[in-house]
Amino acid sequence: MPRIRLYMAPMKGFTDYIFRSAFADHFGGFDLAVAPFIASKQDQRIKRKYVKDVLPENNTRMPVVPQILSKTAADFTFLANYLYDLGYDTVNWNLGCPFPMVANKQRGSGMLPHTDRIRAFLDRVIPEIRGSLSIKLRLGWKESADIFRLLPVIDPHPLSEIIIHPRTGLQRYQGPVDLDAFEDCLAVTRHPVVYNGDIRTVDDFRRLSRRFDRVYAWMIGRWCLADPFLPVRITTGADDIPDKIYRMQRFHEDLFEAYNRVLDGPSHVLSKMKGFWQYFSLPFEDCKKTIKEVRKTHRPDQYLAQVNLFFDTQAQSGRPQAKISA
Ligand SMILES: Cc1cc2nc3c(=O)[nH]c(=O)nc-3n(C[C@H](O)[C@H](O)[C@H](O)COP(=O)(O)O)c2cc1C
C-alpha cells in the first residue's frame, strides 16, 4: 500500500507557526503544513514582521509551504522569490479563499471564473519564479464549470501539485462537497492532486481513499483542531490512544504559554485562545455551558481555571458533531 501523505490545511487566524509547532510536538501525523496566506503587496518591500509566520527559524518542527494570495503577477513573483530565497522549494497560490472582501476583488476563489486572467498570470509568473509552484483551489466561484475550463489551462504548466477543495466559493465551508466533480477533475489533470474537505473521521478518510486511489496526498483543516489525534490515527491505524484528555490539556498549556510569549498583552492572548474553542469543544458532548463560561472570562487566571476545570472534570471524548460553523 502506498504511504499516506497528510497535510495540515492553512487556516488564517488558527494554524500559525505557534499552533503548527505545538501541534507537531504533541500530536504529529502530518507530513507538512500549508501556511495561511500572505497577501502580496504593491510596494515591493518586505518587512520581516509581515512574513514572520514562515520565517525558517519559526518553523523548525514541521515542514511548511508558504501560501500567497494575489492577483497581480509582478507582486506575486516578488514575494514568491523572497520566500524561495528563505529556503522554500515550493510556494502555494491561493485560488480558494471565499470571503467577499477577497473574492469581490477577484482574488482567491473570486478569480476562478476568469480563466484568461489566470492563464496570463501563470504565463508571466512561472518563467520568473525561482522555485516550484502549487495551487490550492475550489471547484469555482459560483459553479464547478470554472474548474473544468481551468484545468486544461494549467495542465501544461510545471506545477508541483494542485490541492482541490470540492466546494464553490459561494458555499464557503458549508454544504456538501461535490465528490463526483472531484472525480471528474482527477480524470482531466496530469498534476498530482491533493484532496481537501470534510475529512472528519478515520472512516471518512478510508471511504475517500478507497474511491480516489489516484490522490497524491490528503489535507485536513478544521477537523484536526477538533480531533488532533485524527492525523496520527489515519497514518498509523492506531485507534485506542491513551490519555487523550490529559494530552490535550498539555497541548493547550503549551499553546497558551507560547502565545503569552509572542502576543502583546493578556487580552490578545485570551481572544486568540478563546477562538480555538470553537473547534476544541466539538468532540465534547454536553459541555456548551462550560465552554460559554470559558468564553466569558476576562483574565488569564480565570480563563485557565475554567479550562482546567473543564479538562479535569467534564471533558469526555466523543465523536465530533456533524456541523461546524467557520
Ligand atoms: C477560519 C478559516 C481560515 C482559513 N484560511 C485559509 C487560508 O489562509 N488559506 C487557504 O487556502 N485556505 C484557508 N481556509 C480553508 C482551509 O484550508 C480548508 O480548505 C477548509 O477548511 C476545508 O477543509 P476542512 O474541511 O478539512 O476544514 C480557511 C478555513 C477556515 C475555516
Side-chain angles (χ1 to χ4, degrees):
M1 224 180 84
R3 194 174 75 78
I4 299 167
R5 289 183 193 81
L6 282 189
Y7 298 174
M8 181 188 282
M11 286 178 63
K12 192 93 175 155
F14 294 94
T15 61
D16 58 18
Y17 74 97
I18 298 282
F19 178 88
R20 298 192 300 265
S21 303
F23 195 99
D25 285 351
H26 287 262
F27 308 114
F30 283 119
D31 291 276
L32 61 83
V34 175
F37 70 78
I38 305 172
S40 70
K41 293 212 167 132
Q42 280 170 350
D43 65 342
Q44 305 207 327
R45 272 184 348 183
I46 289 167
K47 294 193 180 126
R48 279 174 73 80
K49 192 172 156 224
Y50 197 58
V51 291
K52 187 175 174 187
D53 186 50
V54 296
L55 290 176
E57 62 264 35
N58 291 332
N59 288 281
T60 55
R61 311 286 216 289
M62 197 194 301
V64 163
V65 172
Q67 185 187 66
I68 299 178
L69 177 74
S70 180
K71 64 174 179 182
T72 313
D75 302 341
F76 181 97
T77 303
F78 185 79
L79 179 53
N81 281 337
Y82 179 92
L83 296 169
Y84 297 126
D85 290 348
L86 287 179
Y88 290 105
D89 301 329
T90 307
V91 163
N92 180 268
W93 184 27
N94 178 327
L95 280 181
C97 186
F99 289 109
M101 70 260 195
V102 168
N104 289 345
K105 292 184 194 154
Q106 293 175 9
R107 294 183 301 169
S109 63
M111 197 164 176
L112 288 171
H114 305 282
T115 317
D116 285 342
R117 286 198 185 168
I118 297 175
R119 186 202 312 270
F121 182 99
L122 291 174
D123 286 346
R124 278 198 60 195
V125 163
I126 295 220
E128 290 186 16
I129 51 175
R130 295 195 275 275
S132 66
L133 183 69
S134 68
I135 299 181
K136 182 165 180 285
L137 73 169
R138 289 176 177 249
L139 296 177
W141 168 239
K142 278 193 190 143
E143 51 190 22
S144 54
D146 291 346
I147 201 167
F148 294 106
R149 271 195 315 273
L150 192 57
L151 288 174
V153 168
I154 62 179
D155 225 38
H157 287 293
L159 303 176
S160 59
E161 59 196 14
I162 55 176
I163 304 167
I164 302 179
H165 176 55
R167 284 192 172 97
T168 60
L170 282 184
Q171 276 182 288
R172 300 220 192 164
Y173 300 107
Q174 306 292 346
V177 283
D178 187 343
L179 296 180
D180 292 339
F182 178 76
E183 186 164 23
D184 293 344
C185 293
L186 282 178
V188 295
T189 178
R190 72 179 177 95
H191 294 302
V193 174
V194 180
Y195 173 88
N196 165 239
D198 288 7
I199 303 174
R200 298 171 179 161
T201 63
V202 177
D203 282 349
D204 288 342
F205 172 77
R206 290 202 183 120
R207 193 172 32 81
L208 288 163
S209 57
R210 268 199 301 270
R211 177 162 175 191
F212 302 122
D213 57 357
R214 137 132 170 60
V215 162
Y216 174 75
W218 306 86
M219 174 179 268
I220 304 177
R222 294 164 293 174
W223 309 97
C224 77
L225 274 76
D227 177 6
F229 299 99
L230 180 61
V232 92
R233 283 170 55 221
I234 289 174
T235 49
T236 65
D239 243 358
D240 49 342
I241 292 172
D243 304 325
K244 273 179 156 182
I245 305 293
Y246 174 78
R247 288 178 58 190
M248 284 192 69
Q249 197 168 1
R250 299 285 84 82
F251 167 67
H252 175 275
E253 242 168 54
D254 276 2
L255 205 57
F256 182 83
E257 279 169 23
Y259 281 123
N260 256 303
R261 284 195 294 275
V262 301
L263 293 179
D264 198 11
S267 64
H268 286 108
V269 177
L270 280 198
S271 95
K272 185 89 196 172
M273 293 304 300
K274 286 179 191 176
F276 283 114
W277 282 94
Q278 169 186 356
Y279 300 106
F280 290 170
S281 61
L282 284 174
F284 303 107
E285 288 153 4
D286 302 329
C287 63
K288 282 205 179 98
K289 197 160 163 263
T290 319
I291 304 299
K292 222 168 149 191
E293 294 301 318
V294 169
R295 292 221 177 93
K296 278 199 317 214
T297 58
H298 295 297
R299 294 196 323 258
D301 58 331
Q302 293 169 329
Y303 169 82
L304 284 178
Q306 277 296 340
V307 166
N308 286 330
L309 183 71
F310 168 70
F311 278 127
D312 291 340
T313 59
Q314 291 187 329
Q316 282 174 26
S317 242
R319 288 172 64 81
Q321 295 156 8
K323 282 214 157 197
I324 187 168
S325 60

